[in-house]
Amino acid sequence: MSDYRIETKCIQSGYEPGNGEARVLPIYQSTTFRYTTSEQMGRLFDLEESGYFYTRLQNPTNDAVAAKICDLEGGVAAMLTSSGQAANFYAIMNIVQAGDHIVCASALYGGTYNLYAHTIRKMGVEATFVDPDCTEEELEAAFQDNTKAVFGESIANPALVVLDFEKFASAAHRHGVPFIVDNTFATPINCRPFEWGADIVTHSTTKYMDGHATCVGGAIVDSGNFDWDAHAEKFPGLTTPDETYHGIVYTQKFGKGAYITKATAQLMRDLGSIQSPQNAFLLNIGLETLHLRMARHCENALKVAEYLKGHDKVAWVSYPSLKGDKYYDMAQKYMPNGTCGVLTFGLKGGRDAAVEMMDKLKMVAIVTHVADARSCVLHPASHTHRQMNEKELLEAGVQPDLIRFSVGIENVEDIIADVEQALR
Ligand SMILES: *Cc1c(COP(=O)(O)O)cnc(C)c1O
C-alpha cells in the first residue's frame, strides 16, 4: 500500500512507467505471452514462478488496475473479474464447497440475492438471510457449524441500508469466518470497510468506479487480515494441498496472497470470468476521477433529497446522508464524508404514480443502471427485482412504490427542474 492520500492513489497507483515507457497504462491486447524456454513456461504452470502466460488467468493491464483498486481499499491483493456478479460469486466460492453455509444481510442487490438464495443453493451451499438491523442475538442465531462466511453491502442497492460493519464483523470473527463486504455504492472514496473489520471487499466496477456506463466489470480485494490457518479445518481449500497444482498449499506458499492467488489459479482458470484488458483500460480512466465525481454525486444527491423531502406530492425519501434518515447516524459513523449519489423515494400516488412520473422525465432517463455520470431512474419492483415475490421484495428493503434515483453530476438545478416538471 502506498502512503499517498486517496485522491493521489486514484491517479498514481497501480502503474509506474519506467524510463521511456508509455506514460499511460497500455492495453495489453494479447491473449498470450512468449517465453524462450519450455522449462520456464512449465514453472509458471506449477505456480513456481510468477509471470503471464494466458490472459484468462492474468493480464498486465488488468493487474495494474487491480493494484490501484487494492491500494484504494488498503488491501494486500486484488483481482478483476468480468462483472460484479462474478466477483460476488468467486468471493464466496473460493472458500465454500457443497454442504457449507453463509450468512448474508438481507438488503442486497437483486442479482446478488438470486445468486446466493437460488444459484449457489443448487451447488449445495445454503444462505441464511438476516435483517441488517437485527440484534446481536438474532445475528448469532443465524450461524451454523458449517457457516463459512458473512456477507453484506456497505450501502445496500437499492434499500440504502448502511451496514453496521462492527456488528457483522465481530459476529463473523467470533465464529472464525471472514466478513465479506460489497463496497460498490460507497466506493473506497467514502468508506473503507477494512478499517471496520471487513476481511474481503468486492465491487461491481460497472458503477461509480467506471462511472461512465461503458464497461461491466468487478473486483475482489483481500485485506490480508483473515488468518485462514487459525481456522484451517473450515477452509481446506486454502490450507490443504491442491492436487491440481502438484499439492501446493496456498496459505503456506502465498501467505497473505493466498486467497486471491487461489481465486485466480483455480476459479479464473476453471470458470474464466476475466475482465477484458480493453475494459480494464477504460475502468482505469474512470478511477482517475473517482474522487472528484463521488464528491459531486453526493453533493447533488443531498440537494435532490432535500428538494424531494419538501415536495407535497412526495410521500417519503430515503438517503442516508439526509438528516433524519433512518441510517443517518450509521452513515455519519462509517462514511462521514458522504455516502453515494443514489436515493430512493415514493409518491403519495403510490406505484402507479411512480410509473407515470418516470415516463414524464425528459433529461433523467429510465435505464437499468445506477451510479454513472448521467442522472437516471428505475422502478425496482418492475425492473431489477421483478423476479421477487412481495415477501422477498420487502425483505430486500424494496417497497412496491420505490423509485431508485441515481443522481448524476449534471448541474443540480437542471436535475431538479426536470423532476419538478415531471411531478407537476
Ligand atoms: C450492480 C451491482 C452488482 C452486480 O454487478 P454487475 O457488474 O452488474 O455484475 C453487485 N452488487 C451491487 C451492490 C451492485 O450495485
Side-chain angles (χ1 to χ4, degrees):
M1 195 181 17
S2 72
D3 295 333
Y4 290 133
R5 289 166 184 80
I6 199 142
E7 296 82 358
T8 310
K9 290 180 180 185
C10 284
I11 315 288
Q12 298 287 350
S13 292
Y15 174 67
E16 200 183 331
N19 192 34
E21 287 178 3
R23 181 70 187 100
V24 173
L25 173 67
I27 309 174
Y28 285 84
Q29 195 68 48
S30 182
T31 56
T32 192
F33 302 83
R34 183 196 171 212
Y35 288 90
T36 48
T37 68
S38 164
E39 160 70 26
Q40 189 182 7
M41 180 93 94
R43 284 202 299 276
L44 295 176
F45 271 96
D46 283 349
L47 304 182
E48 281 305 322
E49 205 173 290
S50 68
Y52 299 98
F53 52 102
Y54 192 59
T55 284
R56 169 153 39 77
L57 286 114
Q58 275 187 297
N59 172 283
T61 308
N62 290 22
D63 280 0
V65 181
K68 176 178 283 188
I69 294 172
C70 186
D71 207 20
L72 289 171
E73 287 288 2
V76 298
M79 67 196 284
L80 298 187
T81 58
S82 57
S83 66
Q85 285 299 114
N88 284 335
F89 179 53
Y90 282 19
I92 294 293
M93 288 318 280
N94 201 31
I95 48 172
V96 300
Q97 57 190 39
D100 285 345
H101 171 259
I102 60 172
V103 173
C104 301
S106 61
L108 289 180
Y109 174 66
T112 309
Y113 178 82
N114 278 328
L115 172 65
Y116 293 163
H118 303 296
T119 299
I120 66 170
R121 168 176 296 226
K122 291 177 196 152
M123 302 170 179
V125 179
E126 296 263 349
T128 297
F129 295 90
V130 294
D131 183 336
D133 300 327
C134 65
T135 64
E136 282 182 25
E137 293 70 34
E138 285 163 339
L139 182 52
E140 195 60 34
F143 284 83
Q144 305 178 3
D145 290 342
N146 57 348
T147 302
K148 296 296 168 69
V150 174
F151 182 92
E153 293 176 4
S154 51
I155 306 173
N157 175 9
L160 302 181
V161 172
V162 177
L163 197 65
D164 188 347
F165 292 106
E166 288 181 325
K167 179 176 72 183
F168 278 86
S170 63
H173 296 156
R174 261 198 311 281
H175 289 271
V177 301
F179 175 36
I180 305 177
V181 172
D182 179 334
N183 196 29
T184 298
F185 264 28
T187 82
I189 301 301
N190 287 336
C191 179
R192 282 167 307 281
F194 295 157
E195 294 171 5
W196 300 102
D199 301 290
I200 310 286
V201 158
T202 62
H203 281 280
S204 165
T205 61
T206 317
K207 312 298 165 53
Y208 290 115
M209 284 191 166
D210 169 300
H212 302 79
T214 62
C215 302
V216 174
I220 309 174
V221 189
D222 183 3
S223 67
N225 293 335
F226 192 80
D227 188 347
W228 307 102
D229 281 325
H231 308 282
E233 75 295 345
K234 284 190 201 292
F235 305 104
L238 283 156
T239 59
T240 61
D242 178 359
E243 293 313 331
T244 69
Y245 282 110
H246 306 303
I248 62 159
V249 176
Y250 288 98
T251 51
Q252 275 171 19
K253 193 157 177 74
F254 300 104
K256 286 189 181 298
Y259 175 90
I260 293 293
T261 304
K262 176 177 180 287
T264 302
Q266 280 183 349
L267 298 182
M268 205 54 99
R269 176 194 64 188
D270 299 349
L271 303 172
S273 315
I274 195 80
Q275 187 166 134
S276 82
Q278 176 83 42
N279 282 6
F281 172 84
L282 291 168
L283 169 58
N284 188 48
I285 293 178
L287 287 167
E288 291 184 358
T289 56
L290 182 64
H291 56 300
L292 298 174
R293 290 183 288 103
M294 286 313 288
R296 181 59 68 86
H297 278 294
C298 293
E299 185 187 321
N300 281 0
L302 184 58
K303 285 185 186 150
V304 172
E306 282 164 351
Y307 155 80
L308 286 170
K309 199 169 181 185
H311 201 288
D312 61 7
K313 288 190 177 167
V314 175
W316 58 270
V317 183
S318 167
Y319 183 59
S321 297
L322 184 66
K323 276 209 181 75
D325 189 86
K326 187 176 173 196
Y327 296 100
Y328 182 78
D329 292 339
M330 203 75 86
Q332 289 301 306
K333 174 176 175 182
Y334 292 120
M335 38 199 91
N337 295 331
T339 48
C340 62
V342 181
L343 58 87
T344 59
F345 66 103
L347 298 178
K348 288 183 180 153
R351 187 174 181 150
D352 294 343
V355 171
E356 196 188 335
M357 180 262 176
M358 285 171 53
D359 289 350
K360 295 241 157 54
L361 289 164
K362 291 182 178 142
M363 177 181 81
V364 178
I366 301 172
V367 299
T368 303
H369 203 258
V370 69
D372 76 79
R374 299 161 201 84
S375 290
C376 62
V377 288
L378 181 109
H379 184 230
S382 323
H383 307 138
T384 45
H385 289 60
R386 77 182 286 137
Q387 284 81 8
M388 289 189 178
N389 62 36
E390 201 79 356
K391 180 170 167 281
E392 288 174 331
L393 276 177
L394 291 175
E395 271 174 13
V398 182
Q399 297 92 309
D401 66 338
L402 180 153
I403 300 172
R404 184 180 73 182
F405 192 162
S406 178
V407 180
I409 54 175
E410 302 94 344
N411 186 301
V412 71
E413 299 305 327
D414 291 331
I415 300 171
I416 290 174
D418 193 20
V419 177
E420 176 64 29
Q421 66 79 25
L423 283 171
R424 238 187 284 127

